[in-house]
Amino acid sequence: MPQFFSNKRLIVLLVSIIILVALIGTSMKERDALTMPEQFFKDSIGWLQSIFYKPANSVAGLFESIGDMKDMYEENELLKSRLNEFVAVSEELKTVKKENADLKSELNIDSSTGLSNYQTFHANMIARSPDRWNDLLTIDKGEQDGVQADMAVATPDGLIGKVKNVQPFSSTVQLISDVDRTNRIAAMTQEDNNVFGTIEGYDTEKEVLLFSKIPVDTKVEKGQTVITAGNGGIFPRGIVIGEIVDIETDNVGTTQTAYVKPASDLYDINNVMIIDRGAQNVNPDEGEGEEE
Amino acid sequence: MRRFFLVGTLFILFLLEGTVFQVFAPEQYGFDFQLIPRFVTVVVIMIGMVLSPAYGVLYGVVFGLLHDLIYTDLVGVYMFGMSVAAYIIGYLSKVFHLNWFTTLILGLLGVTMVEFYVYELFSLINVTDASFHSFFYSRYLPSLLLNGIFLLIVYYPVKRLLEDLSESRRQENQAKRRSFL
């Protein structure tokens, strides 16, 4: 057996550790955009990934739908009975919406600048980081389709994360379960008297989000729904985040922290909605056309 | 030709880790443990054992860098981890007579090195806050089982491919030497 670490090899090892530290240091910094080669690699591999992901997903979907088949009759009955309810509610919604618009125009509020005004467009997930340390998804819409960094990403159930990096034809989504200091969301409870706070991270053991900075004298209860508050600048108001499952007073005793169970399943994601708050320079139809 | 085949196989394994495997990942079906596919790492370590440690380092750098660029946003973590693991296991393997059992043990040792190194590094720079207990039981042990099974499945085809590759390389070298003389 040759000598395990000769002097030369030891030096190579030390140099490569130094390079490793330097590389991690530079790539950990807050970056506005990725470098050109990174974008190129991510885009071309994203295209290959979508070739693999889509058939696998449809096979999995087929098995799932066979499994669902036996519940379908009962579900259908239930849905039919709910349909009448739906008609009534949608009529009511229409009148309320109209009334709201009338009142707003009477008060001279421009409806396009509201906190809860946003547009969505759809994208498909094409890959996910296999090591669970980084909770990143790749989706098949990029800068060409109007995606920009920091846009909110949701499934029909609720918020799942935000766009971290954009490439021309694909983008990377950081999930809310990713442990990151900068991953903060202004949130509030959806009740008569709104309680405001911040989502400040994720507890990987309990699989809950930490909804903190709630003043100690305000009352929050288990089962309340938490939504985005919209005053953080990035996210619009009204995207469902999750439901409060537990409440704890902090050590100091001035604020309390609620544990919020995310409304959307963070592992069973297929189609996502990208939520664009600006909505001026995005034409969703154009994005659809380019994909064909 | 065989070399392209090896690179192609590694690349497809790399894509499978992030796409097809994620569709069937156990979390989707409500299980509590995580299965982390380290298919590329396993094959790179086998390259280090069968071909030579230097080749293990080369493939480790290339595919580690690819992993860093695509699946994480920190460059260098897997590049360093995979190549160092392939190098150390490549040298260790010279002590043993390689059969399926020693390859399995050494391969899993390499995967263990990569897993522990990545966990320690990511806890150090706050990418994760998982406790060692949960890392060990709900992540490391199930993943070890998965990668062990994977190694046993691909052991014979990959070994054959690598031995063919090293044989053809040896013959090339001999031919070169002969023509040089």
Side-chain angles (χ1 to χ4, degrees), chain A residues 9 42 129 131-132 164, chain B residues 27 69 71 73 78 87 129:
Chain A
R9 282 181 187 139
K42 282 198 164 191
S129 293
D131 74 332
R132 288 280 185 267
K164 192 173 171 81
Chain B
E27 291 98 330
L69 285 179
Y71 293 133
D73 47 356
Y78 282 94
Y87 186 80
D129 59 354

Side-chain angles (χ1 to χ4, degrees), chain A residues 8-9 11 23-24 33 51 77 80 99 107 122 133 146 162 166 176 188 208 217 221-222 233 240 263 266 268 277:
Chain A
K8 204 176 95 193
R9 282 181 187 139
I11 289 168
L23 276 175
I24 291 176
I51 295 177
E77 290 292 297
K80 260 184 198 158
E99 206 179 294
L107 286 170
H122 292 269
W133 301 133
K162 67 173 183 190
V166 277
I176 40 177
M188 64 184 197
V208 287
D217 51 342
E221 279 161 29
K222 281 183 199 176
V240 176
L266 293 176
D268 197 5
R277 190 176 184 180

Side-chain angles (χ1 to χ4, degrees), chain B residues 8-54:
Chain B
T9 312
L10 274 168
F11 190 66
I12 286 174
L13 285 178
F14 169 76
L15 290 179
L16 289 183
E17 278 183 7
T19 56
V20 177
F21 194 82
Q22 296 309 309
V23 177
F24 302 103
E27 291 98 330
Q28 279 202 20
Y29 307 102
F31 290 105
D32 233 3
F33 56 90
Q34 297 174 318
L35 290 178
I36 312 298
R38 297 273 185 223
F39 303 154
V40 176
T41 314
V42 167
V43 177
V44 164
I45 287 168
M46 279 182 76
I47 292 173
M49 284 192 269
V50 181
L51 277 183
S52 73

Side-chain angles (χ1 to χ4, degrees), chain A residues 9 17 20 23 27-28 42 48-49 52-53 60 126 128-134 164 179 204-205 267, chain B residues 18-19 22-23 27-28 34 69 71-76 78 80 87 91 118 122 127 129 131 134 139:
Chain A
R9 282 181 187 139
I17 289 177
L20 169 76
L23 276 175
S27 49
M28 250 179 102
K42 282 198 164 191
L48 288 169
Q49 281 170 332
F52 278 87
Y53 189 81
I126 51 176
R128 187 191 176 112
S129 293
D131 74 332
R132 288 280 185 267
W133 301 133
N134 302 279
K164 192 173 171 81
V179 181
T204 32
E205 320 256 289
Y267 291 106
Chain B
T19 56
Q22 296 309 309
V23 177
E27 291 98 330
Q28 279 202 20
Q34 297 174 318
L69 285 179
Y71 293 133
T72 74
D73 47 356
L74 293 175
V75 180
Y78 282 94
F80 182 76
Y87 186 80
Y91 265 101
V118 171
F122 279 171
V127 172
D129 59 354
S131 68
S134 81
R139 183 189 155 103

